[in-house]
Amino acid sequence: MRPRLVLLSARLLDPVTGQALPETALAASGGRITALGDDREIRALADASTTVIDLKGAVVIPGLVDGHLHPVSGAELTQGLDLSGCADLDAVRTALAREARTLAPGAWLRGWGLDPNVFGDRPVEAAALSPVLDGIPAFLQLFDAHSALASARALELAGVDGPRTFAQAAEVVCDETGRPTGLLLEEGACELVERAAPQPTRDEHRALLAAALRRMAASGLTGGHAMDANGESLALLSALDEDGELPLRLRVAPWCRPGTDAEGLRALVAQQGTGGALWHVAGVKLFMDGTIDNGTAWLERPDCHGESTHAFWPDPEAYTAVIGELHRAGVPTATHAIGDAAVRHALDAVGKARASGTAGDRAAVRHRIEHIETVPDDALPRFAELGVVASMQPTHCCDFTRADHTDNWSRRLGEERASRAWRCRDLWDAGATVVLGSDWPIAPFPPLTVMAGARHRRPSRDLAQPPHGPGQALTAAEALRAMTVAPAYAAGEEHEAGRLAVGHRADLTVLADDPLAVPATDLAGLPVLLTVVDGRPTHRAPSL
């Protein structure tokens, strides 16, 4: 069979050794790499049906994979007003006022990426924004997507006029008189207002998703571990896949919420392996806590406000039982655990599940913990001991905290715990498999930005600022492995992904220069020349 794609005059980079391979060209057919060699012998394999691209010395690496992102929900969420660039309240008010002037009467104003640090020492509440939102129904997601601010008119339309009781950790924050302040914590509370707002049609949502995925492909992403399989997510992915419009390979984990019964667990197990050509269900996503910034993380000691003392699961032992059931069914889990108590409990649950399994199940069922924003010393070696993958998003540390610990996240935790922020280096050195991701739409998805952040740990908007915890930085080679080799291992696909080798998937990212030689502060700007998924170009720069 003649190759479908041939790449010539390339520098082929092995992420395991960090060295260039001796070959200068590759061929791909049937979605796999079929040959590596010099230009002459690989060119001879092509015929008139082959796409032949001269890379002119560009660098080919295994396709970059985002270890944690939310493409479907993110595509919808990010269509509102982007507030992520607002550094203070005046900037937020100015942006909201500008957007409000464009709205039709009665229309909703939606925003996202609001940083709680803009409120400084004052409470995070809608009153601070009421001068520009008077009479306007507004729903503003905070950057963590676990909390939101709703204007007085939005609360009125949603019928939210006081505190509510939820089956899982969530809160309509109220003042001393019982009136909502506008701050909504966690999914249950946010949904009360969000569902009162107009929703995009399925066709509109599909178009938003397709556009977002194309942007991801252009950034060099060839795949992602998607942590949203709710609502119509799978139907949308299936429709794009069937029409040949899915430019990323996606591994999707549906959610398991507190209260899921035996029938619900059986349904999650039955869902495993379903999918299409470029997407499939693999694993289950669970939440052990919320976030530090809004006081819903689960900490071993309360934060400075006396908050973050409870698990997301009202009964943490019910979570432990679910992990055990899924483990016995051979289903890998991915647990959102940000606070130290949440991380410890998730590790304990996996340890208990493994103790009841067979000697070889560590490799067979690869559980993960997501985020791990603060973790004590004694928990570090347990990741390697239990075979738990550490899935981390260093750009959250870069962009939402500060080196001097004056940010909301650090102030809540205090100096001792803030100094243990995003311990990528310590986890790596303790033998854990560290996977990097963006958590988009919480942070930007371009993978070079994620890799750069893992190396420099500085605010992406101002790289002249000092790094937060520079001792926790990864090297260039480690950051590259954490977005190629490590995601393949976490997915149990190391035999067919993450390397440039014959028989491996033809998922490739082509860069203008060697990412291991480019300084960390310049890496985000390195041009992506070509992205290939399943042997098919999904992005091609005009220069090629």
Side-chain angles (χ1 to χ4, degrees):
M1 178 185 296
R2 293 295 182 180
R4 177 176 179 176
L5 176 70
V6 160
L7 302 180
L8 303 173
S9 302
R11 287 182 282 165
L12 307 179
L13 182 61
D14 180 7
V16 173
T17 65
Q19 301 298 314
L21 297 176
E23 297 87 0
T24 60
L26 66 79
S29 184
R32 302 278 170 168
I33 297 173
T34 54
L36 299 172
D38 61 31
D39 284 13
R40 180 188 55 77
E41 60 184 326
I42 297 300
R43 185 190 293 274
L45 301 175
D47 64 10
S49 67
T50 305
T51 299
V52 179
I53 303 177
D54 185 346
L55 294 181
K56 306 180 180 67
V59 176
V60 180
I61 59 176
L64 295 171
V65 175
D66 190 312
H68 185 122
L69 77 171
H70 303 270
V72 181
S73 58
E76 182 179 352
L77 184 151
T78 55
Q79 292 312 296
L81 175 65
D82 182 0
L83 296 168
S84 63
C86 298
D88 54 41
L89 265 180
D90 286 342
V92 173
R93 291 171 179 144
T94 298
L96 292 174
R98 187 185 308 115
E99 184 75 4
R101 289 193 291 269
T102 70
L103 298 175
W108 281 67
L109 191 161
R110 301 192 64 137
W112 61 281
L114 179 61
D115 187 343
N117 286 300
V118 304
F119 293 87
D121 294 328
R122 63 186 297 169
V124 180
E125 57 186 18
L129 307 175
S130 57
V132 294
L133 295 178
D134 184 31
I136 296 174
F139 183 80
L140 311 176
Q141 289 267 8
L142 272 68
F143 78 79
D144 62 7
H146 282 249
S147 48
L149 274 180
S151 68
R153 179 58 176 155
L155 292 170
E156 179 185 2
L157 291 174
V160 178
D161 57 6
R164 298 289 180 91
T165 300
F166 300 93
Q168 58 198 36
E171 182 182 0
V172 174
V173 177
C174 297
D175 62 20
E176 62 276 3
T177 70
R179 296 186 59 182
T181 67
L183 180 59
L184 308 167
L185 303 180
E186 296 301 332
E187 181 186 20
C190 293
E191 279 186 343
L192 294 175
V193 176
E194 193 168 17
R195 65 190 178 208
Q199 303 299 315
T201 67
R202 181 172 176 176
D203 286 345
E204 289 170 339
H205 199 172
R206 173 186 163 137
L208 294 173
L209 175 59
L213 292 172
R214 286 194 297 270
R215 294 194 298 272
M216 290 179 184
S219 75
L221 278 175
T222 65
H225 296 176
M227 299 295 169
D228 54 351
N230 310 303
E232 292 196 325
S233 293
L234 300 185
L236 291 168
L237 293 176
S238 181
L240 290 176
D241 192 35
E242 290 172 1
D243 292 343
E245 297 179 39
L246 191 58
L248 264 67
R249 190 185 302 276
L250 295 173
R251 182 177 189 264
V252 187
W255 290 7
C256 178
R257 294 177 171 85
T260 300
D261 58 16
E263 182 178 350
L265 285 178
R266 285 194 294 270
L268 287 169
V269 173
Q271 229 180 346
Q272 301 300 306
T274 60
L278 288 177
W279 72 276
H280 71 285
V281 173
V284 168
K285 170 76 179 298
L286 306 97
F287 290 82
M288 201 64 248
D289 65 352
T291 69
I292 287 166
D293 275 292
N294 68 20
T296 58
W298 186 18
L299 298 172
E300 296 184 332
R301 302 191 313 277
D303 66 16
C304 70
H305 300 300
E307 297 177 339
S308 285
T309 58
H310 301 291
F312 182 74
W313 286 63
D315 178 7
E317 291 310 311
Y319 160 87
T320 300
V322 167
I323 293 293
E325 289 291 329
L326 292 171
H327 178 81
R328 285 187 288 275
V331 177
T333 61
T335 297
H336 168 121
I338 280 178
D340 44 21
V343 173
R344 190 183 301 280
H345 191 88
L347 289 168
D348 288 345
V350 173
K352 187 173 182 179
R354 291 226 186 276
S356 64
T358 61
D361 72 352
R362 177 177 299 182
V365 187
R366 294 175 185 172
H367 301 289
R368 306 158 48 127
I369 296 180
E370 310 297 315
H371 308 311
I372 319 169
E373 292 184 7
T374 181
V375 58
D377 290 345
D378 64 332
L380 294 171
R382 299 187 66 202
F383 282 82
E385 292 166 3
L386 295 170
V388 173
V389 172
S391 171
M392 306 186 74
Q393 299 76 46
T395 43
H396 295 194
C397 182
C398 295
D399 291 340
F400 305 133
T401 71
R402 300 170 187 154
D404 62 4
H405 295 171
T406 58
D407 58 279
N408 180 59
W409 186 96
S410 299
R411 290 201 312 268
R412 277 184 173 268
L413 287 181
E415 281 298 312
E416 178 190 350
R417 288 182 293 194
S419 67
R420 301 199 302 252
W422 285 268
R423 300 179 73 175
C424 298
R425 161 59 48 211
D426 288 344
L427 280 160
W428 190 289
D429 288 348
T433 296
V434 177
V435 171
L436 297 182
S438 65
D439 199 17
W440 187 81
I442 310 307
F445 57 71
L448 296 180
T449 298
V450 175
M451 291 162 57
R455 293 168 56 184
H456 62 58
R457 295 176 69 95
R458 300 171 185 269
S460 58
R461 289 189 291 268
D462 185 359
L463 294 173
Q465 292 294 315
H468 187 168
Q472 294 301 325
L474 297 181
T475 67
E478 290 164 348
L480 177 60
R481 290 201 292 274
M483 296 200 78
T484 52
V485 179
Y489 175 83
E493 297 172 345
E494 67 272 20
H495 62 288
E496 62 176 351
R499 301 287 300 273
L500 299 178
V502 173
H504 276 49
R505 290 173 180 159
D507 294 353
L508 312 166
T509 303
V510 179
L511 306 172
D513 204 350
D514 183 351
L516 303 185
V518 173
T521 51
D522 295 336
L523 183 61
L526 182 62
V528 177
L529 302 181
L530 182 70
T531 311
V532 176
V533 174
D534 205 40
R536 175 174 59 92
T538 55
H539 161 73
R540 184 172 178 176
S543 60
L544 292 182

